[in-house]
């Protein structure tokens, strides 16, 4: 079998790219994509720890991952609706131009 | 000429070769998502990464999760993101750079996070292999049973959350 390390390092790499995308990108949709990548990385970790764990007949790792997928679907729907709504009123989706609440 | 047994390192198994291929695909997709300046290329890279993650689930013998991943992420989320990119057109080819002024510190934080995590993960002695699984049909049946017994309340709350989120999304996105 593939060592557990490999899965965890892969997840860390995906998480880092997601972190970079959500922190550094100017476009709101690109930042949302970064969040999706991070959620996927966490899911890989959950499933990998389930598979290599001691109680493989208890499926909690998979159940958690499915819940994360459902929450991600809800999150992306609301996020993109917000982006479209902001675009309609401000004609921009650049995160650094959306500083209405800045003091 | 020495035989294959005389190699100084163990030969990779078929599973390990497949893992490396899938991981390479996933990481390529993730890096395109993070780094490509064109928003549409980002979305395509994201689809590649989602497929790669589904492949990782198959390797981990979580078939139901792999199918859900393709259905929900590739089928729904990637499509939604593409729609949003099209609807906010004009931002696709920005006149300015695609990164904000936090770019340098974000890059440093991400690389440091990856290095620290890798250093930690490699230094721990993880279990080498998981236990044998029951048949995948049995596993999917057990999964379904868990959702209506142990995880009944989270499951119902999830349904409520999805309903509220989708109604809210429609409310936000219409005029």
């Amino acid at each position: 079998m593939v060592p557990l390390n490999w899965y965890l390092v892969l997840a860390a790499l995906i998480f880092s790219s997601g972190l970079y995308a959500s922190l550094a990108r100017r476009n709101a949709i690109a930042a949302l994509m970064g969040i999706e990548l991070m959620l996927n990385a966490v899911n890989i970790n959950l499933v990998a720890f389930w598979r290599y764990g001691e109680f493989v007949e208890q499926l909690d790792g998979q159940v958690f991952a499915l819940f994360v997928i459902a929450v991600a679907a809800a999150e992306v729907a609301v996020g993109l609706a917000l982006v479209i709504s902001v675009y309609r009123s401000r004609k921009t989706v650049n995160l650094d131009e959306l500083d209405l609440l800045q003091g | 000429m020495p035989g294959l047994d005389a190699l100084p390192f163990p030969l990779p198994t078929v599973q390990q070769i497949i893992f490396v291929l899938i991981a390479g695909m996933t990481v390529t997709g993730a890096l395109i998502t993070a780094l490509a300046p064109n928003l549409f290329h980002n979305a395509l890279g994201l689809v590649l990464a989602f497929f790669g993650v589904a492949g990782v689930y198959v390797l981990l013998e979580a078939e139901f999760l792999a199918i859900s991943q393709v259905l929900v992420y590739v089928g729904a989320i990637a499509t939604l993101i593409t729609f949003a990119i099209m609807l906010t057109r004009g931002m696709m080819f920005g006149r300015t750079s695609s990164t904000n002024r936090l770019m340098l510190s974000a890059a440093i934080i991400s690389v440091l996070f990856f290095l620290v995590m890798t250093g930690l993960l490699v230094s721990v002695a993880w279990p080498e292999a998981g236990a044998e699984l029951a048949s995948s049909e049995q596993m999917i049946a057990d999964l379904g049973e868990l959702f209506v017994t142990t995880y009944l309340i989270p499951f119902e709350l999830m349904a409520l959350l999805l309903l509220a989120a989708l109604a809210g999304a429609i409310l936000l996105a219409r005029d």
Side-chain angles (χ1 to χ4, degrees), chain B residues 35-99:
Chain B
L35 301 176
N38 184 321
L39 201 54
F40 204 73
H41 295 170
N42 294 155
L44 293 180
L46 194 65
V47 172
L48 190 66
F50 285 163
F51 269 121
V53 173
V56 171
Y57 290 157
V58 172
L59 270 184
L60 284 167
E61 295 172 75
E63 288 91 356
F64 182 72
L65 213 55
I67 302 290
S68 316
Q69 168 85 9
V70 173
L71 274 179
V72 176
Y73 273 106
V74 183
I77 293 184
T79 318
L80 262 183
I81 286 177
T82 318
F83 264 117
I85 291 173
M86 306 268 190
L87 285 174
T88 57
R89 226 180 161 75
M91 305 318 298
M92 235 162 98
F93 310 101
R95 307 161 302 281
T96 49
S97 84
S98 65
T99 51

Side-chain angles (χ1 to χ4, degrees), chain B residues 2-48:
Chain B
L4 283 177
D5 298 331
L7 284 173
F9 52 88
L11 275 179
T13 63
V14 178
Q15 220 180 7
Q16 287 173 342
I17 296 172
I18 295 175
F19 175 86
V20 169
L21 290 177
I22 291 179
M25 177 176 134
T26 317
V27 169
T28 312
L31 289 179
I32 291 175
T33 310
L35 301 176
N38 184 321
L39 201 54
F40 204 73
H41 295 170
N42 294 155
L44 293 180
L46 194 65
V47 172
L48 190 66

Side-chain angles (χ1 to χ4, degrees), chain B residues 90-111:
Chain B
M91 305 318 298
M92 235 162 98
F93 310 101
R95 307 161 302 281
T96 49
S97 84
S98 65
T99 51
N100 58 26
R101 63 198 146 75
L102 288 175
M103 186 266 202
L104 191 64
S105 32
I108 292 171
I109 287 173
S110 308
V111 170

Side-chain angles (χ1 to χ4, degrees), chain A residues 17-75:
Chain A
S17 6
L19 187 66
Y20 174 79
S22 62
L23 286 179
R25 295 304 297 270
R26 178 169 276 161
N27 192 296
I29 300 177
L32 264 179
M33 289 194 233
I35 294 174
E36 292 306 312
L37 278 182
M38 290 196 275
L39 286 168
N40 266 283
V42 172
N43 265 352
I44 291 182
N45 268 10
L46 283 173
V47 181
F49 278 121
W50 160 74
R51 186 67 190 86
Y52 287 78
E54 214 152 305
F55 305 103
V56 90
E57 68 281 355
Q58 294 176 12
L59 298 168
D60 305 84
Q62 283 200 52
V63 172
F64 277 23
L66 281 167
F67 278 132
V68 171
I69 288 180
V71 173
E75 170 255 325

